[in-house]
Amino acid sequence: MRWNYRLVSAVLVLTSIIGLAFALYLEHVQGLEPCPLCIFQRIGLIGMGLIALVAFIHNPISNFFKRFYALLATLAIGWSAGVAARHVWLQHLPPDQVPSCGPGLDYLVDVLPMKAVLQQVLSGSGECAMIDWSFLGQSLPVWSLIYFSLILVICLWQLFRKYPA
């Protein structure tokens, strides 16, 4: 089977749908409330999925557009992987070094400018350090980081691979 650009874009769209479906399942069926860092991870995954969907529909002939879409998708999923890495780091801090819990994301968005919201959310809070769910001894942020890292590898391959002229 030949992994052409359009097929890889479809796989990326599918990985985005699967990741979001699982997140929504955990939220609405299992009752896990997402922390602000979880929400920011979803934003990157949604962004990558939308960019991959546009690339799939457009199916560019030009290598420039192929690489442009791949770069945007890489940046979006790189964001998710970076936020997940920060989340894992927060969960592994000693209890006395965990930041205190702050106000909810809805309140922050209503009251503060976006730059301040990003700074506060990315610094994390006590709620982000709690481990509510685990599988095979690893927390959800660890599994998210693994998932996003695998998608990131696919996006990087899509970005740097050699396309036929």
Side-chain angles (χ1 to χ4, degrees):
M1 177 176 2
R2 191 170 158 197
W3 289 89
N4 64 28
Y5 187 85
R6 194 164 202 202
L7 179 62
V8 175
S9 295
V11 167
L12 290 172
V13 171
L14 186 62
T15 62
S16 178
I17 292 169
I18 290 169
L20 287 170
F22 185 67
L24 291 173
Y25 165 78
L26 289 176
E27 181 178 352
H28 296 289
V29 176
Q30 296 295 318
L32 295 178
E33 198 62 37
C35 74
L37 289 178
C38 295
I39 293 169
F40 277 97
Q41 290 171 42
R42 289 182 190 182
I43 291 170
L45 186 62
I46 290 167
M48 185 278 306
L50 290 174
I51 293 162
L53 179 63
V54 170
F56 174 78
I57 292 169
H58 180 204
N59 195 21
I61 297 170
S62 162
N63 284 346
F64 171 79
F65 281 110
K66 288 179 181 180
R67 295 195 193 288
F68 179 70
Y69 289 136
L71 175 65
L72 292 178
T74 300
L75 292 174
I77 200 64
W79 166 266
S80 290
V83 173
R86 173 87 175 156
H87 201 164
V88 169
W89 176 77
L90 274 171
Q91 287 189 336
H92 287 87
L93 282 176
D96 63 325
Q97 293 181 7
V98 172
S100 63
C101 290
L105 184 60
D106 295 337
Y107 176 79
L108 292 175
V109 170
D110 288 341
V111 173
L112 299 174
M114 190 51 72
K115 181 180 178 185
V117 171
L118 286 174
Q119 286 175 335
Q120 188 153 351
V121 167
L122 293 179
S123 66
S125 66
E127 66 185 288
C128 295
M130 291 184 340
I131 299 175
D132 296 334
W133 183 90
S134 64
F135 178 69
L136 297 177
Q138 299 301 320
S139 67
L140 185 57
V142 171
W143 288 111
S144 297
L145 179 58
I146 292 167
Y147 190 67
F148 298 147
S149 296
L150 291 172
I151 298 170
L152 181 61
V153 168
I154 295 169
C155 288
L156 286 169
W157 176 70
Q158 184 86 312
L159 178 61
F160 292 114
R161 72 182 177 143
K162 187 173 181 167
Y163 294 106

